[in-house]
Amino acid sequence: MSKTLNSLASTGAKTGAKPAVKRSTQESLAILQQCCKWLHFTYSGEIAELAKLHAGLRVGAVLIEDQEAIDSRSQIALTVQDRLVTDDIICGLTLTFMDVSHPPVQFGYISFASFTDMARRFFKDLPTVKSIYQARSEFVAATGLRPAQALSGLHGPEGDGACDWFRDSNRPKLEHVTSYYSLPQLAVLAQSYRQLAKAAVEEGTTQAHTRQDSAQETAVEAP
């Protein structure tokens, strides 16, 4: 780890030991910038793996239900962002991590320690989310469907694709959220896509054999 990141980690540990204090916007932005540098340094391999699956990692603020603009109470969230399906209505596999079993990381009270703790929980659960991207690739390759067509199971009840994955039975009170998926639900979704992909491959193989048999019969019958 570089000297700069060692310094950040040390500062974060000290900050995390103190009671949460409200910070100015400038201070919060400076800490968030440090956190983002640490995130991309520490998890560069995982981020590269996401990129191969046409996904990116986004750090941003989320409004809580009574907010009209970002303020000190806004929650800092980590999002896996789909880069194949970027329509305003259908956002595909864009999923925001929500762990309501822990206190939220709020913009005005952010510390290096609170952010890194959330990030570690995020990456611990990332393999489950990443498996859906992998399953989608298999499904699209097997069926020939466009990525958006392969993701109907992730659309909200009104067609909005804003989705969150969470680690508790309590749903977070956020303005933009329409669909919630626990880790087990996401695992089931990935498995269903794999089964559909397998069925499509088997059907394609059967059709290919049928066409081949038909062609051979025609060749034999020809004078």
Side-chain angles (χ1 to χ4, degrees):
M1 183 179 287
S2 67
K3 293 181 179 180
T4 301
L5 291 172
N6 269 321
S7 175
L8 294 180
S10 175
T11 302
K14 293 178 182 178
T15 303
K18 298 178 181 179
V21 294
K22 187 174 181 179
R23 296 180 171 84
S24 68
T25 298
Q26 184 176 0
E27 289 174 324
S28 298
L29 286 172
I31 293 175
L32 186 58
Q33 185 178 24
Q34 293 176 343
C35 292
C36 289
K37 288 180 179 178
W38 170 86
L39 184 75
H40 285 85
F41 176 86
T42 305
Y43 294 101
S44 58
E46 289 84 349
I47 293 172
E49 290 178 5
L50 280 174
K52 293 178 181 178
L53 295 169
H54 306 288
L57 180 61
R58 184 178 67 202
V59 180
V62 178
L63 303 182
I64 59 177
E65 62 180 355
D66 62 340
Q67 284 184 299
E68 295 182 358
I70 294 175
D71 63 23
S72 61
R73 298 173 299 155
S74 300
Q75 294 187 23
I76 300 301
L78 297 172
T79 299
V80 178
Q81 186 172 25
D82 196 345
R83 290 178 176 170
L84 283 182
V85 183
T86 57
D87 186 272
D88 290 339
I89 302 299
I90 304 174
C91 66
L93 279 177
T94 293
L95 295 162
T96 298
F97 173 75
M98 289 292 163
D99 185 357
V100 294
S101 62
H102 283 69
V105 178
Q106 295 178 301
F107 177 69
Y109 299 87
I110 187 173
S111 69
F112 186 82
S114 64
F115 181 90
T116 55
D117 182 51
M118 177 182 65
R120 290 188 177 100
R121 298 195 306 274
F122 169 90
F123 281 99
K124 178 181 177 182
D125 294 338
L126 185 64
T128 300
V129 176
K130 191 171 69 173
S131 69
I132 304 178
Y133 282 90
Q134 294 168 333
R136 178 179 70 174
S137 297
E138 297 169 8
F139 184 35
V140 170
T143 62
L145 295 174
R146 291 181 293 107
Q149 292 176 305
L151 294 171
S152 58
L154 280 173
H155 295 170
E158 298 179 357
D160 190 341
C163 303
D164 292 71
W165 96 77
F166 62 101
R167 303 179 68 193
D168 202 308
S169 58
N170 298 315
R171 295 185 175 187
K173 296 179 179 179
L174 301 173
E175 179 66 26
H176 78 294
V177 177
T178 59
S179 300
Y180 300 83
Y181 294 87
S182 65
L183 287 171
Q185 288 172 323
L186 290 173
V188 169
L189 183 61
Q191 182 60 27
S192 69
Y193 281 131
R194 289 196 184 92
Q195 292 173 348
L196 289 171
K198 181 180 179 181
V201 170
E202 291 174 349
E203 181 180 357
T205 301
T206 300
Q207 291 178 350
H209 288 163
T210 301
R211 288 193 296 269
Q212 183 178 8
D213 292 343
S214 177
Q216 291 175 345
E217 290 176 0
T218 302
V220 170
E221 294 174 358

